Amino acid sequence: MTNPWPRNSGSIDDLRSALHYDPDTGIFTWVRDSSKWMHNGGQIAGCVDDRGRVLIHFKGVQYKAHRLAWAYVHGYWPPDEIDHKNGIVSDNRLKNLRPATRLQNGKNRKALRGKLSAKGVSWNVKAQRWVASIRVDNVGIYLGSFMSEAEGRAAYIAAAKQYFGPFMRAPEEE
């Protein structure tokens, strides 16, 4: 297998010699004191970006901590994306990480911020009813109109279970 790391960024063995990953907490710490690494041994590695993801600079390259965690434990770079099962992108515990395609990862996303109703449910002013819909592989699917938001939410949840399986995020998980 070819080295999936950018040129001059080191190897997984280099990663393991410089950082310690705790799979139960999801936290990386620097292993040793070194002016070369410019970090103190035991110091928590990384910073949180504006989207809530933990980023770690290692050998001049910025990595997402969840991808480093996967490589650290499994010994290979993840082929596609890494999904956070609970939707909390700063939670890098191993049990919260799973490989996913971009489409699978998108199925586990939260509803848009500022939206008044549940994911997949909206109010139709003209019809004066709640409308449920779902996007599957970039295709919108109309699930029906309902007298209550709860009925629309139930229709969305049933469709999400059918189409998204383990990557489903129910509206009550928002």
Side-chain angles (χ1 to χ4, degrees), residues 20-29 44-45 54 56 65-66 69 84 89-97:
H20 173 263
Y21 169 68
D22 182 339
D24 295 325
T25 64
I27 295 174
F28 278 95
T29 53
I44 293 177
V54 178
I56 297 175
H66 55 276
H84 292 82
V89 295
S90 62
D91 181 356
N92 293 314
R93 294 174 296 145
L94 188 60
K95 71 179 185 178
N96 188 45
L97 304 177

Side-chain angles (χ1 to χ4, degrees), residues 52-115:
R53 297 175 302 194
V54 178
L55 304 176
I56 297 175
H57 289 269
F58 176 66
K59 288 195 156 192
V61 179
Q62 178 177 279
Y63 295 98
K64 295 172 186 164
H66 55 276
R67 294 183 66 78
L68 286 179
W70 189 266
Y72 189 99
V73 171
H74 296 287
Y76 65 92
W77 194 251
D80 290 314
E81 296 189 2
I82 295 294
D83 179 50
H84 292 82
K85 293 177 188 177
N86 66 8
I88 301 170
V89 295
S90 62
D91 181 356
N92 293 314
R93 294 174 296 145
L94 188 60
K95 71 179 185 178
N96 188 45
L97 304 177
R98 63 182 166 194
T101 64
R102 180 165 292 257
L103 284 174
Q104 289 171 324
N105 206 354
K107 292 171 183 175
N108 190 26
R109 71 172 174 80
K110 293 182 179 182
L112 299 174
R113 290 183 199 158
K115 195 170 177 186

Side-chain angles (χ1 to χ4, degrees), residues 10 14 23 26 35 41 64 70 94 97 109 114 118 126 137 142-143 145 151 155 167 169:
D14 292 338
S35 59
K64 295 172 186 164
W70 189 266
L94 188 60
L97 304 177
R109 71 172 174 80
K126 187 175 180 181
D137 299 334
Y142 174 77
L143 300 174
S145 66
E151 291 173 310
F167 290 91
R169 174 176 296 279

Side-chain angles (χ1 to χ4, degrees), residues 20-41:
H20 173 263
Y21 169 68
D22 182 339
D24 295 325
T25 64
I27 295 174
F28 278 95
T29 53
W30 294 103
V31 170
R32 59 182 171 186
D33 295 333
S34 169
S35 59
K36 178 180 176 185
W37 298 105
M38 297 176 54
H39 297 288
N40 296 323

